Every structure is written in C-alpha cells, then in structure tokens.
Amino acid sequence: ANFVTLKLKQNNYLLGETQIISLIESQGLLGFINGDTPSPAQEIDQNGTQIINLDYTSWVKTDKLIKAWITGTLFEAVLGHAVGTKSSKELWTVLSDAFSQASEAREFEFQSMMQYHKK
C-alpha cells in the first residue's frame, strides 16, 4: 500500500514530511535521514587484507531504498532538488532546507488568519 498520499512540493512540505517520516519510522529506518545510522566503513581489515564490508553493502541498499521512497513522493517540479544527492540523509536535508521555512511561515500565516476570523 502507498502510505504517502501527497506529492511533496513547496506549499505542502509539513504535511508531506509527516507522511514520509511516518513511513520511514514505521520501518525503523529514521536513523538514515537524521544521521543516527551513519554509513559503516566501506572496507574492513581481515587478516591483513582489506575486504568489502558486507554491513556497508547492506547499508547502501537500505539507504538507496529510502532515497527512492522520498524521491517517489516529489512533484516533478521539485525533482531537481534530488539531482546530485548521494544519500537519503543528504536528500532529506536539501528538501528540508529548501521548503521547511516557507511551510512554517505559511502555517503561521494560516494560524494568524484563523485567529483573526475567530475574533
């Protein structure tokens, strides 16, 4: 089932963020976008030889899945923000930096309008 029903754009960031974060949290993967689950070393030493770290390989697969989930929620006009990002954390940071302040200002404006109409 698709748990994210909104396509993320500048004027609905807070709603979209709520749905995306809920999906990622439900899978126990929030640490990938908030930095609590950093990338392990790409290689490890085994008896004096550098070998590929299987934990790194697994981490990359999961990170790319999360990045795909997030990218799949973006309006076409917003997809440009995803270009060049290398991780789900980087993508989420770019989106948050681009849209959160505008959304918070819009939310404050709506709350002010509602207060005015109540009076």
Side-chain angles (χ1 to χ4, degrees), residues 13 17 20-25 29-38 59 62-63 66-67 69-70 87-94 96:
Y13 175 77
E17 175 192 40
I20 293 166
I21 294 293
S22 294
L23 170 62
I24 293 170
E25 276 182 322
L29 301 172
L30 188 61
F32 280 79
I33 64 170
N34 70 14
D36 288 346
T37 308
W59 184 93
T62 302
D63 186 64
I66 296 167
K67 188 176 175 200
W69 285 344
I70 296 169
S87 68
S88 60
K89 181 182 184 326
E90 184 180 356
L91 172 58
W92 192 249
T93 299
V94 165
S96 179

XYZ file of all heavy atoms in Angstrom, residues 13 17 20-25 29-38 59 62-63 66-67 69-70 87-94 96:
281
model
N 4.934 21.046 2.351
C 6.083 20.350 2.929
C 5.757 19.734 4.294
O 6.099 18.581 4.548
C 7.295 21.271 3.045
C 8.447 20.615 3.751
C 9.241 19.689 3.082
C 8.711 20.875 5.094
C 10.283 19.050 3.729
C 9.748 20.234 5.740
C 10.528 19.329 5.061
O 11.549 18.689 5.706
N 6.076 15.926 4.863
C 7.097 15.498 5.827
C 6.500 14.530 6.842
O 7.096 13.499 7.156
C 7.679 16.717 6.544
C 8.666 16.351 7.638
C 9.021 17.524 8.524
O 8.130 18.332 8.855
O 10.197 17.628 8.889
N 6.029 11.109 5.113
C 7.299 10.456 4.791
C 7.997 9.976 6.060
O 8.466 8.836 6.131
C 8.209 11.406 3.985
C 7.592 11.678 2.606
C 9.611 10.833 3.844
C 8.218 12.846 1.862
N 8.059 10.835 7.067
C 8.709 10.458 8.327
C 7.982 9.278 8.962
O 8.620 8.348 9.469
C 8.769 11.659 9.306
C 9.678 12.754 8.758
C 9.214 11.224 10.700
C 11.142 12.394 8.686
N 6.658 9.281 8.916
C 5.893 8.171 9.498
C 6.223 6.851 8.804
O 6.386 5.823 9.473
C 4.392 8.442 9.397
O 4.048 9.540 10.204
N 6.325 6.867 7.491
C 6.679 5.659 6.748
C 8.074 5.175 7.140
O 8.275 3.990 7.445
C 6.618 5.915 5.238
C 7.186 4.807 4.350
C 6.404 3.514 4.524
C 7.202 5.238 2.896
N 9.026 6.084 7.141
C 10.406 5.702 7.444
C 10.532 5.218 8.893
O 11.200 4.223 9.173
C 11.359 6.878 7.128
C 11.373 7.124 5.608
C 12.767 6.609 7.644
C 12.076 8.392 5.178
N 9.851 5.895 9.814
C 9.861 5.466 11.224
C 9.223 4.093 11.387
O 9.701 3.272 12.175
C 9.105 6.469 12.099
C 9.916 7.640 12.537
C 9.121 8.564 13.451
O 7.910 8.769 13.230
O 9.729 9.095 14.383
N 13.819 2.993 10.283
C 14.924 3.480 9.467
C 15.168 4.983 9.584
O 15.906 5.551 8.778
C 14.673 3.103 7.999
C 14.517 1.607 7.724
C 14.070 1.376 6.289
C 15.806 0.866 8.036
N 14.578 5.629 10.566
C 14.716 7.077 10.696
C 16.179 7.503 10.843
O 16.573 8.571 10.376
C 13.893 7.596 11.877
C 13.796 9.105 12.015
C 13.131 9.729 10.777
C 13.029 9.489 13.268
N 17.000 6.668 11.433
C 18.409 6.986 11.629
C 19.166 7.261 10.342
O 20.176 7.957 10.341
N 18.656 6.760 9.227
C 19.315 7.013 7.952
C 19.186 8.472 7.530
O 20.100 9.022 6.923
C 18.740 6.107 6.849
C 19.295 4.715 6.874
C 18.826 3.775 7.782
C 20.292 4.343 5.995
C 19.331 2.490 7.804
C 20.820 3.055 6.008
C 20.339 2.131 6.923
N 18.052 9.117 7.835
C 17.886 10.505 7.402
C 18.213 11.519 8.495
O 18.404 12.688 8.191
C 16.494 10.780 6.790
C 15.383 10.590 7.803
C 16.280 9.944 5.546
C 14.041 11.091 7.306
N 18.277 11.073 9.740
C 18.643 12.031 10.791
C 20.098 11.888 11.230
O 20.559 12.617 12.110
C 17.687 11.943 11.986
C 17.833 10.677 12.797
O 18.788 9.924 12.674
N 16.846 10.423 13.653
N 20.816 10.939 10.640
C 22.235 10.792 10.932
C 22.574 9.832 12.049
O 23.756 9.592 12.326
N 21.578 9.253 12.701
C 21.850 8.321 13.797
C 22.356 6.961 13.309
O 22.865 6.171 14.105
C 20.599 8.110 14.657
C 20.266 9.324 15.507
O 21.123 10.222 15.635
O 19.135 9.375 16.043
N 22.185 6.679 12.027
C 22.671 5.428 11.436
C 23.644 5.774 10.318
O 23.304 5.739 9.133
C 21.502 4.578 10.880
O 20.518 4.416 11.901
C 21.982 3.213 10.412
N 24.870 6.147 10.680
C 25.839 6.549 9.653
C 26.339 5.346 8.852
O 26.209 4.198 9.280
C 26.979 7.172 10.466
C 26.900 6.490 11.790
C 25.434 6.212 12.027
N 23.954 -1.436 4.137
C 23.581 -0.060 4.460
C 23.270 0.727 3.191
O 22.273 1.451 3.128
C 24.710 0.618 5.245
C 24.376 1.999 5.710
C 23.842 2.339 6.918
C 24.536 3.230 4.985
N 23.669 3.707 6.984
C 24.081 4.271 5.806
C 25.019 3.537 3.721
C 24.089 5.599 5.416
C 25.028 4.865 3.320
C 24.571 5.881 4.154
N 19.835 -0.213 1.726
C 18.739 0.356 2.510
C 18.648 1.858 2.287
O 17.554 2.410 2.118
C 18.923 0.036 4.003
O 18.990 -1.379 4.172
C 17.781 0.596 4.832
N 19.789 2.527 2.266
C 19.809 3.975 2.046
C 19.217 4.329 0.682
O 18.445 5.282 0.560
C 21.229 4.510 2.175
C 21.271 6.019 2.104
O 20.702 6.666 3.011
O 21.855 6.549 1.150
N 15.423 4.056 0.801
C 14.818 5.218 1.460
C 14.850 6.420 0.527
O 13.861 7.151 0.405
C 15.543 5.527 2.793
C 15.359 4.376 3.770
C 15.029 6.838 3.391
C 16.291 4.445 4.968
N 15.967 6.625 -0.147
C 16.075 7.738 -1.098
C 15.033 7.588 -2.206
O 14.401 8.566 -2.612
C 17.480 7.801 -1.677
C 17.731 9.025 -2.521
C 19.165 9.091 -3.006
C 19.317 10.273 -3.950
N 20.474 10.167 -4.800
N 12.125 6.022 -1.918
C 10.827 6.333 -1.313
C 10.592 7.842 -1.322
O 9.525 8.304 -1.703
C 10.750 5.849 0.131
C 10.581 4.382 0.351
C 10.194 3.442 -0.568
C 10.800 3.690 1.575
N 10.165 2.213 0.023
C 10.516 2.325 1.330
C 11.200 4.091 2.834
C 10.620 1.356 2.329
C 11.306 3.127 3.827
C 11.016 1.771 3.571
N 11.588 8.579 -0.868
C 11.455 10.037 -0.792
C 11.296 10.623 -2.192
O 10.397 11.427 -2.442
C 12.653 10.668 -0.055
C 12.692 10.208 1.407
C 12.578 12.193 -0.130
C 13.981 10.560 2.139
N 22.878 10.465 -0.790
C 22.292 9.630 0.260
C 20.902 10.142 0.609
O 20.532 11.262 0.268
C 23.174 9.648 1.513
O 23.135 10.936 2.104
N 20.159 9.310 1.312
C 18.823 9.723 1.749
C 18.924 10.893 2.727
O 18.099 11.811 2.689
C 18.075 8.552 2.376
O 18.765 8.042 3.505
N 19.943 10.887 3.576
C 20.123 11.993 4.530
C 20.392 13.297 3.790
O 19.815 14.336 4.123
C 21.265 11.693 5.503
C 21.485 12.804 6.531
C 22.647 12.495 7.436
C 22.875 13.491 8.536
N 22.591 14.879 8.268
N 21.271 13.238 2.792
C 21.578 14.438 2.028
C 20.335 14.949 1.302
O 20.053 16.150 1.309
C 22.695 14.157 1.024
C 23.133 15.377 0.258
C 24.244 15.097 -0.748
O 24.749 13.951 -0.822
O 24.592 16.036 -1.473
N 19.573 14.047 0.690
C 18.338 14.448 0.004
C 17.362 15.081 0.993
O 16.791 16.141 0.722
C 17.691 13.244 -0.681
C 16.309 13.481 -1.280
C 16.318 14.610 -2.309
C 15.763 12.191 -1.886
N 17.177 14.451 2.144
C 16.227 14.976 3.127
C 16.666 16.346 3.638
O 15.843 17.246 3.823
C 16.047 14.001 4.289
C 14.880 14.381 5.125
C 14.889 14.867 6.395
C 13.510 14.363 4.717
N 13.609 15.142 6.808
C 12.746 14.834 5.800
C 12.858 13.988 3.554
C 11.358 14.955 5.749
C 11.484 14.093 3.496
C 10.753 14.578 4.587
N 17.959 16.532 3.832
C 18.486 17.824 4.276
C 18.233 18.898 3.222
O 17.814 20.014 3.550
C 19.991 17.715 4.584
O 20.165 16.753 5.636
C 20.581 19.038 5.004
N 18.474 18.567 1.962
C 18.239 19.518 0.870
C 16.770 19.924 0.833
O 16.437 21.110 0.738
C 18.679 18.914 -0.485
C 18.126 19.706 -1.660
C 20.191 18.839 -0.561
N 14.493 19.697 3.253
C 14.151 20.414 4.477
C 14.640 21.854 4.416
O 13.903 22.794 4.747
C 14.763 19.689 5.677
O 14.465 20.363 6.864
